[in-house]
Amino acid sequence: DAGVTQSPTHLIKTRGQQVTLRCSPKSGHDTVSWYQQALGQGPQFIFQYYEEEERQRGNFPDRFSGHQFPNYSSELNVNALLLGDSALYLCASSLRGGGSNQPQHFGDGTRLSIL
Amino acid sequence: GQNIDQPTEMTATEGAIVQINCTYQTSGFNGLFWYQQHAGEAPTFLSYNVLDGLEEKGRFSSFLSRSKGYSYLLLKELQMKDSASYLCAVRDSGAGSYQLTFGKGTKLSVIP
């Protein structure tokens, strides 16, 4: 049973560039959430995708956008990268309607470094 | 808004018991989760509480008091591998809300 997979593992970009991160949810899950985790901090919610639509969004600028595909996989896009975007980006999947006690399952994340 | 507080760091001895506290002030509440995160790895689910009281799962227990906005994670018979960050997360209320708001995490160091 494959868990949540993310790619790439590490990425180095320069300011102003654009980046795309990818996530495949755990088998049987239909909902994908993205989180940003700065060093020494807890994960911060970016947005959640369900049925190929953004259902909820955290306090992140429009530079952060996403997409969900029919197979439930998802992409996170960040434009005009800033130094402050350096962080671990975590993808979490869950089953919507699976009950409020269903936990989100996290991938190992993509470590993004901005130079 | 959401505000979740946890101690930044704790140290405990192998074989001992440690309690990690979490207090929250949220505009809505639909459950509290505890996750474990080893350095450089994904957070892994430990426990879930939505009603007041204690949930026990092996060496790990979690307690919730909704009226006090308070939870704790209790780790018994500590092992070296329990050295990790422990994240408290609250889920919003509201139909279809699955957003988790995390605390900054408590870094637990288990020493021999």
Side-chain angles (χ1 to χ4, degrees):
Chain A
D1 181 17
V4 179
T5 58
Q6 293 186 242
S7 64
T9 307
H10 294 86
L11 202 52
I12 299 175
K13 292 285 189 178
T14 57
R15 281 179 298 174
Q17 285 189 309
Q18 177 265 344
V19 69
T20 297
L21 311 181
R22 296 177 175 82
C23 171
S24 292
K26 179 179 168 69
S27 178
H29 285 181
D30 58 7
T31 303
V32 173
S33 301
W34 286 93
Y35 293 83
Q36 180 194 68
Q37 187 175 25
L39 201 61
Q41 303 292 313
Q44 279 197 290
F45 177 76
I46 302 174
F47 42 53
Q48 183 183 89
Y49 276 83
Y50 171 67
E51 291 186 333
E52 301 179 48
E53 290 188 11
E54 183 184 295
R55 296 291 179 165
Q56 283 184 285
R57 188 178 184 92
N59 189 26
F60 278 80
D62 292 345
R63 298 187 297 111
F64 290 76
S65 62
H67 189 78
Q68 185 180 34
F69 299 93
N71 67 353
Y72 308 120
S73 67
S74 177
E75 288 181 350
L76 164 66
N77 301 292
V78 187
N79 295 323
L81 286 166
L82 303 173
L83 293 177
D85 295 332
S86 294
L88 179 68
Y89 288 85
L90 293 164
C91 169
S93 73
S94 54
L95 178 62
R96 201 172 185 90
S100 60
N101 64 339
Q102 296 302 306
Q104 295 185 4
H105 294 256
F106 285 83
D108 285 338
T110 295
R111 174 71 63 186
L112 176 63
S113 298
I114 311 301
L115 303 180
Chain B
Q2 314 280 49
N3 187 39
I4 299 175
D5 288 317
Q6 310 177 230
T8 304
E9 294 185 32
M10 297 183 72
T11 301
T13 306
E14 190 176 15
I17 299 173
V18 71
Q19 177 175 312
I20 302 175
N21 296 323
C22 171
T23 58
Y24 63 90
Q25 296 170 309
T26 58
S27 54
F29 180 84
N30 190 22
L32 187 145
F33 293 82
W34 283 95
Y35 282 83
Q36 180 192 60
Q37 187 176 27
H38 286 99
E41 297 184 10
T44 55
F45 169 72
L46 291 177
S47 69
Y48 170 77
N49 296 72
V50 68
L51 299 176
D52 291 353
L54 188 68
E55 294 284 340
E56 296 186 80
K57 190 184 292 185
R59 294 190 301 114
F60 293 69
S61 303
S62 57
F63 171 83
L64 175 68
S65 169
R66 288 172 296 170
S67 62
K68 295 181 179 178
Y70 169 69
S71 174
Y72 67 73
L73 179 69
L74 195 69
L75 291 76
K76 303 175 186 175
E77 300 169 15
L78 279 172
Q79 302 174 10
M80 299 300 290
K81 67 178 182 179
D82 296 329
S83 293
S85 284
Y86 291 85
L87 300 164
C88 171
V90 172
R91 176 147 65 193
D92 282 339
S93 59
S97 176
Y98 288 80
Q99 175 179 340
L100 292 180
T101 301
F102 283 85
K104 293 183 178 179
T106 299
K107 184 178 179 181
L108 174 65
S109 298
V110 180
I111 57 176

